[in-house]
Amino acid sequence: MARIRPAVTPLLNLRCGDDLRSRLQSAGIAGEYLCFADPVCVGPAQDDGDLMAWLGMRARYVALHASQDPAAVRLRLGREYAALNGLHRREAVWFWFEHDLWDQAALIRILSLLAEKRLLRGKLHLMPADGERTFPELTDAELAALQPVPLSDLQIEQAAEAWAAFASPDPRGLDAFSRRELALPFLAAALRRHLRDLPWTTDGLGETERRVLRAIAEGAVEEGAVFRILRNSDRVFHVTDLIVREVIGRLRQGPNRLLMRENPLRPTPRGAAVLAGTDRFRPPPRFHAGAHVLPDPPWFWDPAQAAAIQGPKA
């Protein structure tokens, strides 16, 4: 008996957010739209291959991060990940992922799940980003003029390798990977920006934490102002308002906090001392992808070496 082949449906546009849903239509770009909105560039990302455990972990984090109902978040994430299993039924899948850390982290997460799916060969295409502007910043005519580029086997294989290193508890593997010649054009810079959010050997702050603290010390007294400063000053990590809120909350924690708890935003004397280089931040416990951050960090970013290094053992 002849095997019944699944019906092939038209083009799918895959994006790590909803910001292009209406824009692609107005630009005359055909196809359905799939939003993959798991913000894997922030929060825990330990991945042992158990998708159910992964969804539970990410749902708990995203619900807390976005002040949403955990059950609703779990259902949404489950639908997004399940939709990836049906991509082989598409004639083509166009990936609308830019140069920044948010997009690149989502891209390697998705490709890590698709790397072994032989039915997808030749169907996956990457839309060319210019490394400066986001896709929503382009005009309709500029969007319509973009030509999809087929994702090569090497790009997909390297994306899966990058994800394994991203999710590893030891960030030195990701550091080594980011120094290689990579087929995905913006991946190395994004991964190194991610690593720079490990505690620094100089002051204990990650790069985003330092940018937030400095913006407040220089006069940004509310979250919106901090967000605008960071958004306009960091080409590789396009922070969201929720990321800024989470970092501010982290700097307000504990008896040795760096920011005053009450509004308007302003540094504590300890925060001012950390910025001046006369004191150190002891970060509250959190996961940075697969790596654990603790008050006495097991891992640091060393700016002198521009490398992830192991902290002193107790």
Side-chain angles (χ1 to χ4, degrees):
M1 180 180 296
R3 180 178 295 177
I4 299 176
R5 301 183 65 182
V8 175
T9 54
L11 166 70
L12 179 73
N13 295 289
L14 179 55
R15 170 75 169 158
C16 52
D18 262 328
D19 54 355
L20 282 180
R21 188 180 293 273
S22 61
R23 287 295 314 285
L24 296 186
Q25 293 178 357
S26 65
I29 297 171
E32 298 179 29
Y33 191 99
L34 175 61
C35 171
F36 178 90
D38 188 359
V40 292
C41 66
V42 289
Q46 304 92 345
D47 181 22
D48 62 1
D50 184 339
L51 185 58
M52 293 301 102
W54 167 268
L55 289 173
M57 174 187 67
R58 291 299 299 173
R60 289 188 294 273
Y61 169 75
V62 173
L64 182 62
H65 177 73
S67 300
Q68 296 178 352
D69 176 62
V73 173
R74 173 62 179 78
L75 285 173
R76 176 180 62 77
L77 290 177
R79 288 193 298 267
E80 291 177 3
Y81 279 86
L84 300 178
N85 290 326
L87 296 186
H88 63 280
R89 300 187 182 93
R90 298 286 176 170
E91 291 180 357
V93 181
W94 290 2
F95 284 74
W96 295 84
F97 291 73
E98 293 142 7
H99 61 280
D100 65 277
L101 173 56
W102 180 292
D103 288 46
Q104 292 294 302
L107 179 62
I108 62 173
R109 178 50 176 149
I110 294 169
L111 292 180
S112 75
L113 297 169
L114 305 180
E116 301 299 323
K117 297 184 181 297
R118 298 177 62 87
L119 292 176
L120 286 172
R121 288 187 176 177
K123 294 188 174 187
L124 307 182
H125 297 73
L126 188 63
M127 302 306 293
D130 65 12
E132 296 291 338
R133 296 177 297 171
T134 65
F135 287 125
E137 291 176 309
L138 303 183
T139 66
D140 286 354
E142 288 174 319
L143 286 173
L146 295 176
Q147 295 297 312
V149 179
L151 277 161
S152 69
D153 289 346
L154 177 60
Q155 287 176 315
I156 296 171
E157 290 165 7
Q158 286 188 346
E161 189 177 354
W163 177 255
F166 189 85
S168 169
D170 184 341
R172 292 174 297 182
L174 187 65
D175 187 350
F177 179 88
S178 72
R179 299 173 189 274
R180 290 165 43 183
E181 184 176 346
L182 300 180
L184 288 166
F186 306 114
L187 182 56
L191 295 181
R192 297 191 72 72
R193 177 62 180 85
H194 166 79
L195 289 167
R196 293 201 302 273
D197 266 336
L198 290 169
W200 283 34
T201 54
T202 51
D203 56 13
L205 290 166
E207 180 163 326
T208 304
E209 292 167 337
R210 187 179 302 100
R211 286 173 177 267
V212 166
L213 184 59
R214 184 175 294 123
I216 292 169
E218 292 176 355
V221 296
E222 48 91 18
E223 286 182 6
V226 177
F227 166 72
R228 289 188 293 273
I229 291 170
L230 266 67
R231 185 78 176 191
N232 293 331
S233 63
D234 192 338
R235 188 181 67 83
V236 182
F237 190 15
H238 293 164
V239 296
T240 66
D241 55 345
L242 293 179
I243 291 174
V244 169
R245 181 170 300 169
E246 181 174 307
V247 172
I248 288 173
R250 188 187 310 154
L251 297 179
R252 279 175 157 170
Q253 285 186 40
N256 296 317
R257 57 191 173 272
L258 304 190
L259 293 175
M260 303 296 286
R261 284 193 176 135
E262 68 276 2
N263 290 322
L265 294 170
R266 64 189 190 281
T268 62
R270 186 182 181 93
V274 169
L275 277 180
T278 59
D279 207 339
R280 292 183 58 82
F281 180 48
R282 300 187 74 239
R286 64 183 175 90
F287 276 98
H288 187 56
H292 206 182
V293 173
L294 295 167
D296 295 310
W299 308 106
F300 285 96
W301 176 259
D302 182 355
Q305 303 179 61
I309 65 170
Q310 189 170 22
K313 295 183 179 180

